Amino acid sequence: GYFRSQVQAGLARAFSRVHLADGTRGFFPPDHFTFGAPLFLSRVCAAALQVAGVASVQPRRFQRYGRPPNHELAQGLIAMAPLEILRLDNDRNFPENGRIEFELHGGL
């Protein structure tokens, strides 16, 4: 009952770096993570499931950008070094600052 374009837009908002017009904030604002804090796949999936029109989530890839996989998908987390802060801008002009992609199936 949802258009794929609406779901895609909802996912883009949900995983943005900004505070949204409705008072909520995206998943990746700069102050959401602290030094050394890992990114848990379960939290990403849970946030995606909160978006209207998302019925299920099946992660296919979960890794640091520009590096080969290091069992992050199997472990369910991307570890950070003690002095690293997670960043995901999802900016096509600067993919090295992190990106997230969704493959949508079903819908209208």
Side-chain angles (χ1 to χ4, degrees):
Y2 292 89
F3 290 103
R4 274 184 237 147
S5 61
Q6 291 173 319
V7 175
Q8 184 70 40
L11 287 165
R13 281 190 305 275
F15 289 97
S16 70
R17 297 178 35 106
V18 298
H19 288 81
L20 305 171
D22 65 2
T24 61
R25 63 183 187 166
F27 193 83
F28 292 104
D31 62 344
H32 192 144
F33 297 93
T34 59
F35 285 101
L39 175 61
F40 291 99
L41 181 58
S42 60
R43 291 187 65 218
V44 174
C45 293
L49 286 168
Q50 296 299 311
V51 175
V54 175
S56 68
V57 177
Q58 297 173 349
R60 300 196 190 280
R61 191 170 16 162
F62 186 64
Q63 68 193 66
R64 286 175 173 258
Y65 181 80
R67 294 188 189 172
N70 191 19
H71 309 289
E72 294 94 346
L73 184 59
Q75 293 173 352
L77 69 91
I78 295 176
M80 297 286 121
L83 297 179
E84 285 184 304
I85 296 179
L86 188 129
R87 178 176 185 172
L88 193 142
D89 294 354
N90 214 32
D91 184 338
R92 292 180 189 199
N93 294 318
F94 300 99
E96 67 274 11
N97 292 338
R99 69 181 195 166
I100 190 167
E101 296 178 357
F102 300 97
E103 184 179 306
L104 305 178
H105 298 277
L108 306 172

